[in-house]
Amino acid sequence: VKEQILYHIQALIFLAKVLNSSHFIDVTCTFFCNFATCLINYTNIFSVETKYIFVTGGVVSSLGKGIISSSLACLLKARGYRATIQKFDPYINIDPGTLNPYEHGECYVTVDGHEADLDLGHYERFTNVPTTRANNVTTGRIYQSVIEKERRGDYLGKTVQIIPHITDEIKRNVMALGKTGNFDFVITEIGGVVGDIESLPFLEAVRQLRWELEDDCVCVHLTYVPYIQAAKELKTKPTQHSVKQLQQLGIQPDVLVLRTEHDIPSTMKKKIAQFCNVSPDAVVQSADAPSIYKVPVLMHRQHLDEIVMRKAGIEPSGEPDMSAWNEFLARMDSATDTVTIGLVGKYVELQDAYKSIDESLFQAATYCGKKVSIRYIHSEKITPGNVASLLEGIDGAVIAPGFGQRGIEGKFVALEWCRTHDLPTFGICLGMQCMVIEFARNVLGLKDANSTEMAPNTPHNVIDLMEEQKSIHNMGGTMRLGAYGCTLRQGSRVASAYGSLDISERHRHRFEFNSDYRTRFEEAGMQCVGENPDTGLVEVVEIPQLRWYIGTQYHPEYSSTVLSPSPLFLDFMKSAIAYKDEKIK
């Protein structure tokens, strides 16, 4: 590459001489010398062997391994390295696609159509890098792969065992992501807590890789330091026991991250380091932060990225370029006015059921210079008699996605109120389908209109199953999953929001708008302004006569990140803010 650059520099200098322009010679030399220097530095950075970082957790679950992993990846990317994160989930489900949100929170969808753990949403929001199937592996997938190989005879008649066959398959998934993705750092989060029986094969695989990779492997252990209110003391014993459990499995952590609600004194950090065989400078704390997006900055202040790099044999130089990230934080901290968004769904009592939507609304409000207050409205509790009081005072409404009959009638009632009161309204997936059904019933006069998901024998199936899916009964293979293209209508509100007529967004659904009714809808005022360019399936509906009334069959929340917020959420938030300003006036 360097030889090619030098060749082109010489060729351009020769051309400049022929043109007899000394100024052109100077500009050309300066530009290409700078460019060559940058290229050489770039090549030197990325000539590093792939480093593998494993993040484990101890004491209790839900400490924030995903946020620490994401923050570390964010900092490494800001230093110019290519970093990715993968999650190993110890449950036996093939993926979380068939899990009830009460079991596992939101199901996140990757660009290649894999249903994944919600932590992958954090990975993307922090790194601005799309994830794929390779970024989330479950015990079920590991065992499925091993059993398929055994059935094919790949093991040549040998007895198939946890060690080496299961652990080898786990290691293969770790190494494959680094090699095929050509990453400098692969951060692997091990789900669950050290001591869980389900996690043992993954931890054994980590132990083996720790020795096989030598200096190219770093183990980060996130643990909890509780504060006993009655004694007014922080207690280190749970952390010591957690590390002891890890050591008993043959893994010595290189770095300890201490999750805490109170600052941990330096003397206590030294005590923990001494008892856990970790160098004192490799013990950092992760105290409660007002926002998860502040965690990368807090971790950098304690030099977590530098500690990990040194443990991996890389001497850090300079500072990570966090300028864009810090600008987002500055907007977040300076926001004073609040915009209130009503989120209508049947899982609103669950913290993580609509995680990507919550974060997309937060990001959009931040970029609009506002704080967002999300009012969670349970769709099962909405009736014609109380809908006005439940929705009173909100500046916009999001009708949430989901599956099944429960709470669906409440969404219809909410949508009729939003539509007739010209409230900015955003319907996502099932929310969009509910928009179509409500419009069919109350505007087109098709009182029995419904989705065949809810009413298989409805006479007006304005939402129906895709024809190619009608013969499929395996729940894991019935949906349209992943990123698909969408062509938007020129002049539509949604096209204006995106600033483009050709977009790509992620899907997770089986049922579609029935195009047999398309003409009747458009004549009555609901326009089908987005469609799949290959199949003609309707992807977006809107009512142009209203302030902001848009439904998308796809999930724009999956692609919204801190540095690249969803254009559609941004436009919706601007409309909600304008509506609030009108009410104040």
Side-chain angles (χ1 to χ4, degrees):
V1 172
K2 295 173 187 175
E3 289 174 358
Q4 288 292 317
I5 291 295
L6 290 172
Y7 171 79
H8 284 89
I9 291 174
Q10 292 168 352
L12 277 166
I13 291 174
F14 175 76
L15 178 63
K17 289 179 178 177
V18 171
L19 294 173
N20 196 26
S21 170
S22 59
H23 176 67
F24 185 71
I25 293 172
D26 293 340
V27 171
T28 302
C29 286
T30 302
F31 175 80
F32 271 98
C33 284
N34 290 339
F35 178 72
T37 302
C38 289
L39 186 76
I40 290 167
N41 290 338
Y42 180 90
T43 305
N44 289 339
I45 287 175
F46 295 125
S47 63
V48 175
E49 285 288 325
T50 301
K51 307 292 184 179
Y52 296 88
I53 303 168
F54 296 97
V55 179
T56 57
V59 185
V60 294
S61 59
S62 302
L63 287 179
K65 293 191 299 295
I67 300 301
I68 292 298
S69 300
S70 301
S71 299
L72 182 55
C74 175
L75 291 169
L76 291 171
K77 280 192 82 269
R79 287 183 174 275
Y81 293 98
R82 294 165 298 184
T84 190
I85 319 173
Q86 66 180 174
K87 173 78 179 287
F88 282 151
D89 274 309
Y91 51 76
I92 300 178
N93 301 66
I94 302 300
D95 59 51
T98 58
L99 287 176
N100 190 305
Y102 286 103
E103 292 284 328
H104 206 65
E106 174 190 67
C107 178
Y108 191 78
V109 177
T110 62
V111 288
D112 61 346
H114 177 65
E115 293 173 292
D117 182 83
L118 60 84
D119 272 325
L120 269 70
H122 289 311
Y123 300 167
E124 291 200 22
R125 286 187 282 272
F126 276 67
T127 64
N128 214 35
V129 176
T131 54
T132 67
R133 178 184 178 85
N135 293 89
N136 190 202
V137 180
T138 67
T139 294
R141 264 183 62 193
I142 295 293
Y143 275 82
Q144 183 184 50
S145 178
V146 170
I147 290 169
E148 286 174 353
K149 289 179 180 179
E150 186 273 332
R151 291 290 84 190
R152 289 197 305 265
D154 291 5
Y155 298 121
L156 304 176
K158 291 185 177 180
T159 302
V160 178
Q161 298 175 294
I162 302 295
I163 302 172
H165 302 101
I166 295 297
T167 52
D168 281 354
E169 184 66 18
I170 294 169
K171 291 192 294 182
R172 186 188 66 79
N173 277 272
V174 173
M175 302 298 291
L177 183 58
K179 292 176 181 177
T180 59
N182 200 25
F183 292 105
D184 301 299
F185 288 91
V186 174
I187 302 171
T188 303
E189 177 191 346
I190 308 297
V193 179
V194 173
D196 290 347
I197 192 169
E198 298 94 339
S199 301
L200 288 176
F202 293 103
L203 293 172
E204 170 59 22
V206 172
R207 184 196 67 80
Q208 294 177 23
L209 285 170
R210 187 72 180 85
W211 292 102
E212 293 170 14
L213 295 170
E214 296 181 342
D215 292 338
D216 291 333
C217 179
V218 179
C219 293
V220 178
H221 189 55
L222 175 65
T223 183
Y224 182 50
V225 179
Y227 181 79
I228 307 300
Q229 185 65 39
K232 300 290 190 291
E233 284 183 336
L234 288 161
K235 293 298 183 180
T236 65
K237 195 63 70 176
T239 292
Q240 295 176 41
H241 285 305
S242 174
V243 173
K244 286 284 190 297
Q245 281 186 299
L246 202 57
Q247 291 169 336
Q248 286 171 0
L249 296 172
I251 302 171
Q252 170 60 50
D254 299 292
V255 182
L256 288 180
V257 180
L258 309 178
R259 189 75 177 84
T260 178
E261 290 92 6
H262 298 267
D263 280 337
I264 301 174
S266 57
T267 54
M268 186 170 285
K269 290 181 185 177
K270 289 180 180 178
K271 174 185 175 182
I272 291 172
Q274 183 180 23
F275 277 94
C276 297
N277 295 339
V278 176
S279 55
D281 62 347
V283 179
V284 301
Q285 73 172 29
S286 176
D288 285 352
S291 168
I292 58 173
Y293 301 121
K294 287 184 176 288
V295 177
V297 176
L298 296 175
M299 290 299 100
H300 177 60
R301 286 177 187 169
Q302 297 179 79
H303 313 288
L304 178 62
D305 50 329
E306 298 170 36
I307 294 167
V308 169
M309 289 175 68
R310 287 194 179 98
K311 296 289 183 182
I314 303 172
E315 186 59 35
S317 60
E319 289 289 310
D321 181 8
M322 296 288 286
S323 53
W325 193 274
N326 288 328
E327 182 184 342
F328 174 83
L329 295 182
R331 288 173 180 265
M332 182 181 74
D333 291 337
S334 63
T336 54
D337 293 338
T338 300
V339 59
T340 303
I341 303 297
L343 179 55
V344 180
K346 63 179 178 180
Y347 298 117
V348 291
E349 71 274 26
L350 299 177
Q351 180 179 347
D352 293 331
Y354 305 112
K355 191 64 177 176
S356 291
I357 293 176
D358 293 348
E359 296 304 320
S360 298
L361 289 169
F362 176 79
Q363 292 156 10
T366 299
Y367 276 100
C368 291
K370 304 289 182 181
K371 294 182 177 180
V372 64
S373 172
I374 302 176
R375 183 190 300 176
Y376 297 98
I377 305 168
H378 203 302
S379 57
E380 273 193 297
K381 298 179 181 179
I382 301 175
T383 66
N386 66 13
V387 62
S389 60
L390 288 175
L391 301 184
E392 183 182 8
I394 65 174
D395 307 310
V398 174
I399 311 301
F403 295 90
Q405 174 68 34
R406 186 168 68 89
I408 202 78
E409 294 298 327
K411 289 183 178 181
F412 297 149
V413 174
L415 281 165
E416 182 180 15
W417 193 92
C418 293
R419 180 176 55 79
T420 55
H421 287 76
D422 198 9
L423 179 77
T425 307
F426 191 176
I428 300 174
C429 198
L430 180 62
M432 171 266 202
Q433 296 174 4
C434 289
M435 281 181 161
V436 170
I437 296 168
E438 186 279 324
F439 192 87
R441 290 181 179 183
N442 298 318
V443 178
L444 299 184
L446 307 176
K447 296 301 180 183
D448 295 324
N450 213 324
S451 165
T452 51
E453 179 185 8
M454 317 305 171
N457 299 319
T458 176
H460 298 293
N461 55 335
V462 292
I463 302 295
D464 201 1
L465 189 64
M466 295 181 288
E467 193 63 37
E468 63 270 23
Q469 299 288 1
K470 289 183 178 179
S471 60
I472 300 177
H473 300 287
N474 176 12
M475 288 188 71
T478 54
M479 289 191 289
R480 188 148 70 107
L481 290 164
Y484 287 85
C486 177
T487 301
L488 303 176
R489 182 183 297 176
Q490 181 81 43
S492 64
R493 178 66 186 255
V494 68
S496 173
Y498 279 100
S500 173
L501 299 182
D502 296 300
I503 62 169
S504 177
E505 293 280 13
R506 301 179 209 182
H507 293 245
R508 185 179 183 246
H509 64 100
R510 287 183 69 196
F511 294 81
E512 303 275 358
F513 179 93
N514 188 343
S515 293
D516 292 343
Y517 290 86
R518 181 168 180 169
T519 301
R520 295 176 69 174
F521 273 89
E522 296 206 330
E523 288 176 350
M526 179 173 276
Q527 303 299 309
C528 302
V529 296
E531 64 178 41
N532 183 284
D534 300 319
T535 63
L537 292 170
V538 174
E539 305 277 23
V540 187
V541 297
E542 69 176 48
I543 301 180
Q545 291 78 15
L546 297 181
R547 180 179 279 106
W548 206 100
Y549 197 85
I550 294 174
T552 64
Q553 185 61 79
Y554 52 77
H555 291 257
E557 71 272 19
Y558 288 149
S559 57
S560 186
T561 70
V562 170
L563 300 184
S564 300
S566 165
L568 205 51
F569 273 92
L570 276 172
D571 200 60
F572 168 69
M573 190 60 65
K574 290 174 183 176
S575 180
I577 292 168
Y579 176 71
K580 178 184 179 180
D581 292 343
E582 286 180 30
K583 286 192 298 181
I584 293 173
K585 290 178 182 178

